[in-house]
């Protein structure tokens, strides 16, 4: 459904807090907090796996009620959902890289090439190579569950840094360009950005504390490893792209990918 730009804040709030039919309700908190509490209720804290905690809960509950045959069906449904999420995670960053690479000259022309359908295949291939190299690191971490947690924590920490930068940019743009026409104007933007920044920084600090399953690991060592990973995957690459970019790499036009060709009759 098409939503006008000025209605987007209300649409986002409605989607986060109200059901499709009926009065408003805490849908998103129930979706995320409820299952988490259910897992902690069914599985002892010391036995929860970082990777298969959800399936552990389903297996325990369904087996208790004599519905163990449904566990494979749940596993297939989760795999399909994860695959759909993975596709969106692959497409979004690659399309953003193509756009900024063409408009600002961050990417060499080689990576700006697209196929006849407008897909940035070379960027996606580079993503595959990088992810494969990262996946190899699983071999150097004794537990797959621990490796999964470390990589998830790294991704979350990098996101939190970006959120803080976005909050700072929003305040700066409000002050430097107050009269610029926008799709909507957020009330009390300074307060919202302050709360967002404080929350993001708090979550970042919490992310540097090892979970109970890492009890054998020194907290300082864990924090240093996470910070080193953030530096390697979230800070150094953007700085190198900015340092190495060239004006000659800027593409003519608006930098968007060409539309796919029309279907033959």
């Amino acid at each position: 459904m098409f939503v006008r730009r000025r209605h987007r804040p209300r649409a986002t709030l409605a989607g986060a807090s109200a059901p499709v039919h009926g009065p408003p309700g805490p849908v998103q908190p129930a979706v995320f907090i409820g299952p988490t509490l259910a897992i902690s209720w069914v599985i002892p804290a010391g036995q929860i796996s970082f990777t298969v905690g959800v399936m552990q809960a389903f297996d325990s509950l369904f087996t208790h009620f004599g519905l163990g045959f449904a566990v494979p069906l749940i596993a297939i449904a989760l795999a399909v959902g994860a695959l759909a999420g993975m596709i969106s995670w692959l497409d979004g960053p690659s399309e953003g890289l193509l756009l900024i690479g063409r408009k600002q000259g961050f990417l060499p022309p080689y990576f700006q090439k697209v196929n006849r359908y407008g897909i940035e295949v070379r960027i996606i291939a580079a993503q595959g190579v990088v992810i494969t190299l990262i996946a190899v690191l699983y071999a150097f971490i004794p537990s797959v569950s621990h490796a999964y947690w470390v990589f998830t924590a790294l991704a979350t920490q990098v996101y939190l840094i970006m959120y803080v930068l976005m909050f700072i940019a929003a305040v700066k743009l409000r002050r430097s360009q107050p009269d610029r026409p926008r799709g909507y104007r957020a009330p009390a933007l300074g307060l919202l950005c302050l709360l967002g920044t404080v929350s993001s920084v708090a979550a970042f600090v919490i992310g540097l504390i090892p979970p109970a399953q890492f009890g054998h690991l020194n907290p300082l060592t864990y924090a240093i490893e996470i910070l080193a990973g953030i530096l390697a995957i979230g800070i150094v690459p953007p700085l190198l792209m900015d340092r190495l970019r060239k004006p000659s790499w800027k593409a003519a036009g608006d930098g968007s990918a060409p539309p796919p060709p029309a279907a033959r009759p």
Side-chain angles (χ1 to χ4, degrees), residues 156 158-169 193 196-197 200:
T156 302
V158 172
Y159 269 107
L160 290 172
I161 293 174
M162 183 56 62
Y163 283 140
V164 172
L165 295 177
M166 289 173 59
F167 291 133
I168 295 174
C193 291
T197 301
S200 299

Side-chain angles (χ1 to χ4, degrees), residues 68-194:
F69 65 89
V71 174
L73 300 179
I74 296 295
I76 294 174
L78 289 175
V80 172
L83 179 60
M86 182 189 68
I87 293 175
S88 65
W89 274 48
L90 286 175
D91 180 66
S94 61
E95 188 171 347
L97 280 174
L98 177 65
L99 179 63
I100 197 68
R102 286 183 164 185
K103 295 183 68 173
Q104 302 296 333
F106 280 105
L107 292 178
Y110 175 84
F111 290 105
Q112 299 181 21
K113 299 293 184 180
V114 297
N115 63 12
R116 58 175 180 164
Y117 299 105
I119 304 299
E120 54 282 358
V121 290
R122 294 181 178 177
I123 295 180
I124 294 177
Q127 281 182 297
V129 172
V130 172
I131 295 302
T132 301
L133 293 176
I134 293 177
V136 173
L137 296 178
Y138 275 84
F140 298 94
I141 300 181
S143 171
V144 174
S145 181
H146 288 185
Y148 176 82
W149 173 264
V150 169
F151 292 140
T152 302
L154 288 175
T156 302
Q157 299 293 72
V158 172
Y159 269 107
L160 290 172
I161 293 174
M162 183 56 62
Y163 283 140
V164 172
L165 295 177
M166 289 173 59
F167 291 133
I168 295 174
V171 174
K172 179 177 177 58
L173 290 174
R174 172 65 65 87
R175 293 179 178 179
S176 62
Q177 304 178 25
D179 300 323
R180 185 180 181 86
R182 307 186 187 280
Y184 59 88
R185 186 179 181 89
L189 180 65
L191 177 60
L192 294 176
C193 291
L194 177 62

Side-chain angles (χ1 to χ4, degrees), residues 42-64:
V42 174
I43 309 296
Q47 300 178 14
I48 296 178
S49 170
F50 293 129
T51 52
V52 295
V54 175
M55 289 309 304
Q56 282 180 307
F58 276 118
D59 182 62
S60 297
L61 285 173
F62 283 23
T63 301
H64 176 76

